[in-house]
């Protein structure tokens, strides 16, 4: 009896060609961008979403296969995440369902909140490069202007066969959204350019305000956002409450958008004065 196929006839070579050509085409385009966000946790995704929405060419680099960082798991492996006012405005904006537990205190399902935020960043046009680890910074004339990166798998390979050189991406700005370890600012620290005191003890109230207040440039071309801010400035940790992460990402995006507008205006002026 003749078999009636359900799916369109597509061969193996076609599948491989589609993956390689699409990936490389996009990769070539994103070798130079406006902003590279390192880390796809809640702060990085929020910043990427706002920047991409405003038209900035935005790349997010994530060392894991999955995106979302600590936003999936809530606290104590219980998949609920909490937010404090005024973060409900962002929850509404991203259509994340939430429940008010007490005045100004909200709770959501972390898988639902996390997947909505990932989708919002992708829908806005942010380009995601996952399974890729940023291992250093490109620095020119005392300003960060790109990252050095390699497949995450390379760092798990035995040294004997793991000697694989990285590649570099260039951008106008870089954001360290790598969470508690502040891995990207760490590359400046290990060269003695700055020192990081590390996180202080838990204090939710102080931490959320402090992280948002201190979100911003830590070095020319490099912004620090999310929990990395606490590590860089010695602020208290905050535990499984996420309003600070979303507002930090939003603030960082606002700073980056303004900064890139200024850079473009300055380069247009220089061009006009040369003409
Ligand atoms: O840790 P993470 O979720 O950072 P965040 O946005 O949010 C912190 C909260 O999740 C929570 C908290 C407050 O609510 O205490 O912990 O500040 O996400 C950081 C992401 O960065 C990736 C890492 O895999 C994670 O997904 N990452 C870390 N180092 C690198 C990296 C690196 N060198 N290259 C690429 N990605």
């Amino acid at each position: 009896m003749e078999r009636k196929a359900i799916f369109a006839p597509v061969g193996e070579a076609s599948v491989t060609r589609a993956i390689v050509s699409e990936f490389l085409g996009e990769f070539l385009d994103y070798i130079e961008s406006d902003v590279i966000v390192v880390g796809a946790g809640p702060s990085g995704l929020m910043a990427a979403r706002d920047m991409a929405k405003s038209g900035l060419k935005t790349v997010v680099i994530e060392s894991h296969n999955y995106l979302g960082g600590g936003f999936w798991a809530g606290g104590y492996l219980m998949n609920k995440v909490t937010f404090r006012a005024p973060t409900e405005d962002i929850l509404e904006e991203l259509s994340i369902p939430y429940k008010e537990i007490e005045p100004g205190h909200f709770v959501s399902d972390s898988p639902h909140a996390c997947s909505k935020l990932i989708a919002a960043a992708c829908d806005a046009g942010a380009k995601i490069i996952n399974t890729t680890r940023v291992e250093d910074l490109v620095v020119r004339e005392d300003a960060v202007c790109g990252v050095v990166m390699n497949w995450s798998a390379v760092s798990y390979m035995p040294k004997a066969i793991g000697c694989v050189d990285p590649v570099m991406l260039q951008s106008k700005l870089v954001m360290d959204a790598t969470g508690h370890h502040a891995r990207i600012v760490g590359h400046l620290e290990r060269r003695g350019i700055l020192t990081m005191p590390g996180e202080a003890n838990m204090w939710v109230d102080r931490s959320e305000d402090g992280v948002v207040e201190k979100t911003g440039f830590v070095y020319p071309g490099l912004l620090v956002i999310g929990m990395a801010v606490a590590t860089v400035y010695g602020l208290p940790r905050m535990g499984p409450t996420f309003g600070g992460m979303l507002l930090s990402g939003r603030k960082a995006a606002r700073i980056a958008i303004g900064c890139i507008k200024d850079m473009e205006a300055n380069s247009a002026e220089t061009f006009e004065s040369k003409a």
Side-chain angles (χ1 to χ4, degrees):
M1 202 173 81
E2 198 187 321
R3 192 179 71 89
K4 195 169 176 329
I6 299 169
F7 293 101
V10 173
E12 286 76 6
S14 246
V15 171
T16 306
R17 200 172 294 117
I19 290 173
V20 175
S21 64
E22 284 303 302
F23 181 85
L24 291 183
E26 283 189 2
F27 194 82
L28 277 173
D29 185 34
Y30 280 89
I31 288 174
E32 287 180 275
S33 63
D34 288 321
V35 187
I36 296 171
V37 179
V38 188
S43 65
L45 288 169
M46 188 70 224
R49 185 264 186 180
D50 281 5
M51 291 188 295
K53 196 162 184 274
S54 84
L56 293 191
K57 192 171 176 184
T58 307
V59 182
V60 180
I61 303 178
E62 168 55 53
S63 60
H64 290 144
N65 191 11
Y66 67 89
L67 312 181
F71 207 25
W72 289 111
Y76 200 58
L77 285 180
M78 295 187 184
N79 65 358
K80 301 283 174 203
V81 278
T82 66
F83 307 90
R84 292 186 297 156
T87 327
E88 72 276 23
D89 293 346
I90 296 182
L91 302 180
E92 297 275 351
E93 194 182 319
L94 301 182
S95 304
I96 296 173
Y98 64 90
K99 186 165 147 188
E100 188 161 30
I101 297 293
E102 59 187 311
H105 192 196
F106 312 98
V107 68
S108 293
D109 282 338
S110 51
H112 205 160
C114 193
S115 51
K116 285 274 190 186
L117 181 57
I118 295 168
C122 296
D123 287 346
K127 165 74 190 152
I128 312 287
I129 302 178
N130 53 346
T131 60
T132 296
R133 189 170 151 264
V134 170
E135 58 174 52
D136 210 347
L137 288 165
V138 182
V139 180
R140 280 286 170 288
E141 288 157 8
D142 295 330
V144 170
C145 56
V147 300
V148 179
M149 65 185 212
N150 215 330
W151 298 117
S152 301
V154 169
S155 62
Y156 299 111
M157 283 157 68
K159 275 275 174 287
I161 55 163
C163 196
V164 179
D165 267 328
V167 292
M168 294 69 64
L169 299 188
Q170 283 188 265
S171 59
K172 294 176 183 141
L173 300 175
V174 173
M175 285 186 187
D176 184 343
T178 59
H180 297 269
H181 298 288
R183 300 266 182 222
I184 305 309
V185 180
H187 295 304
L188 299 180
E189 187 186 44
R190 71 186 162 88
R191 296 194 169 91
I193 294 170
L194 46 76
T195 51
M196 297 194 287
E199 279 175 351
N201 293 326
M202 179 77 75
W203 190 349
V204 172
D205 220 16
R206 282 280 166 88
S207 181
E208 284 213 290
D209 283 7
V211 162
V212 177
E213 279 158 19
K214 292 277 189 191
T215 291
F217 281 101
V218 62
Y219 189 77
L222 179 64
L223 293 106
V224 62
I225 85 174
M227 277 320 287
V229 175
T231 302
V232 169
Y233 292 104
L235 303 173
R237 23 187 326 212
M238 69 175 67
T241 180
F242 286 82
M245 300 300 99
L246 300 183
L247 290 190
S248 169
R250 173 145 286 180
K251 179 181 175 188
R254 205 172 55 239
I255 295 170
I257 293 163
C259 179
I260 285 174
K261 256 195 204 141
D262 290 348
M263 284 178 182
E264 284 166 358
N266 287 342
S267 72
E269 259 173 40
T270 316
F271 182 72
E272 272 167 26
S273 63
K274 276 188 185 149

